[in-house]
Amino acid sequence: MDIRALGYLRLETTRPDEWRRYTLDLLGMAEASGSTADALLLRLDDRAYRIEIRTGGSDRLLAAGWELAGARALADAVAELEAAGVAVKTADAAECAERRVQGLLHLTDPCGNPLELYWGQAQDHTPLATPYGNRFVTGDLGLGHVVLPVPDTGAALDFYEDLLGFQLRDSMKLPPQAVPTAAEQRDFHWMHFLSPNRRHHSLGLYPGALPPGIVHFMVELETLDDVGLGLDRMHAAGVPIASSLGRHTNDRMVSFYAQAPGGFQVEYGWDGLVVDPATWVAKEITADSVWGHRWNG
């Protein structure tokens, strides 16, 4: 399957005003053309939008949108998914227009996580006016990464690796206390990191359940100063810092994690690892970070 990148995220929130302040004033994103009273669209680059935050009755992930190369790739994806017994729904013209894409497919992974496969997202050719002059690392690497809860890790790994064509990059053992919502208690649980492109990981699979349907998402900044200034803004705004600044072992990202208004976290990082998929060898990492990343609670 010719999936290229994590293209966008769609979130539902009961706290739209908090999300507006969080994304625009603290994360330094830009409001996109086409935002409405019920849906905040956010730009990080030249795409029409990368994140949609829609007002609703719950705080949850509405969909992780994965970008395909084109119309033929989407048609091939439909055939492959249906042959594998995966239920799919093709979006109509009105929904495609709302998403600003030319083709769109709805499906869920084996753990019920909502996904959208699409092609042909519109671009915005006006200069990107972020509030602090900060810039995000996107391009062919996509939006960043998202970590999804998958109580059935084996089924999820088979789905993303064997059917969707993601490459497994690394795995890590988590102790039972790190996965209190695991389907069954064991001595340890595997967490996996995968990607369809050169970004070390575009997807993390967390071996437990979480009500919002998302553990965290990551956006990457072009400079370390952008990350540090973002951390200062979080502290000044009184936002709880879930994990202190640190450098990860697997993707080498220097980042911190801040609580978001929806019961999950946002990772704000710099200097993530870009790999050569042709030569990469999957490994087990035995520590989360080289330094830092002290978790609170």
Side-chain angles (χ1 to χ4, degrees), residues 8 10 49 95-101 104 106 116 121:
Y8 59 72
R10 301 180 58 240
Y49 71 95
E95 193 172 15
C96 288
E98 181 184 78
R99 295 285 196 284
R100 306 292 308 279
V101 302
L104 177 69
H106 298 278
E116 295 178 355
Q121 187 181 28

Side-chain angles (χ1 to χ4, degrees), residues 150 153 170-174 179 186 188-192 205-208 283-285:
V150 290
T153 311
D170 289 313
S171 302
M172 178 173 64
K173 292 177 181 176
L174 298 181
V179 196
R186 305 173 181 171
F188 63 87
H189 303 275
W190 284 107
M191 182 169 180
H192 302 289
L205 301 178
Y206 171 78
K283 299 176 289 296
E284 177 190 351
I285 58 171

Side-chain angles (χ1 to χ4, degrees), residues 8 32 41-43 47-52 99-100 121:
Y8 59 72
L41 302 180
L42 298 160
R43 279 185 68 193
R47 297 300 181 89
Y49 71 95
R50 288 290 191 176
I51 298 174
E52 175 188 354
R99 295 285 196 284
R100 306 292 308 279
Q121 187 181 28

Side-chain angles (χ1 to χ4, degrees), residues 76-258:
D76 290 345
V78 171
E80 292 176 49
L81 290 163
E82 290 181 339
V86 177
V88 298
K89 179 185 177 184
T90 301
D92 61 20
E95 193 172 15
C96 288
E98 181 184 78
R99 295 285 196 284
R100 306 292 308 279
V101 302
Q102 296 188 49
L104 177 69
L105 185 69
H106 298 278
L107 66 152
T108 60
D109 72 13
C111 297
N113 293 307
L115 310 178
E116 295 178 355
L117 304 184
Y118 73 92
W119 74 278
Q121 187 181 28
Q123 290 183 298
D124 186 334
H125 298 289
T126 62
L128 178 65
T130 57
Y132 311 106
N134 52 289
R135 289 293 182 267
F136 296 91
V137 177
T138 56
D140 65 348
L141 301 178
L143 162 64
H145 74 236
V146 63
V147 177
L148 300 179
V150 290
D152 189 341
T153 311
L157 187 61
D158 289 345
F159 175 81
Y160 286 102
E161 192 173 13
D162 298 339
L163 184 55
L164 266 56
F166 287 33
Q167 185 181 50
L168 178 65
R169 296 283 158 81
D170 289 313
S171 302
M172 178 173 64
K173 292 177 181 176
L174 298 181
Q177 59 267 30
V179 196
T181 58
E184 58 180 279
Q185 287 304 306
R186 305 173 181 171
D187 292 338
F188 63 87
H189 303 275
W190 284 107
M191 182 169 180
H192 302 289
F193 303 88
L194 308 92
S195 186
N197 59 42
R198 298 178 302 123
R199 192 185 288 278
H200 175 273
H201 62 277
S202 302
L203 173 67
L205 301 178
Y206 171 78
L210 285 176
I214 179 173
V215 180
H216 76 258
F217 70 83
M218 182 279 297
V219 290
E220 184 176 359
L221 286 297
E222 286 190 353
T223 74
L224 179 59
D225 285 345
D226 285 335
V227 173
L229 290 167
L231 181 57
D232 282 350
R233 293 192 296 271
M234 293 288 180
H235 282 308
V239 174
I241 301 302
S243 178
S244 65
L245 193 71
R247 185 184 286 274
H248 281 306
T249 57
N250 58 354
D251 66 355
R252 312 302 294 177
M253 183 80 69
V254 175
S255 64
F256 68 90
Y257 294 71

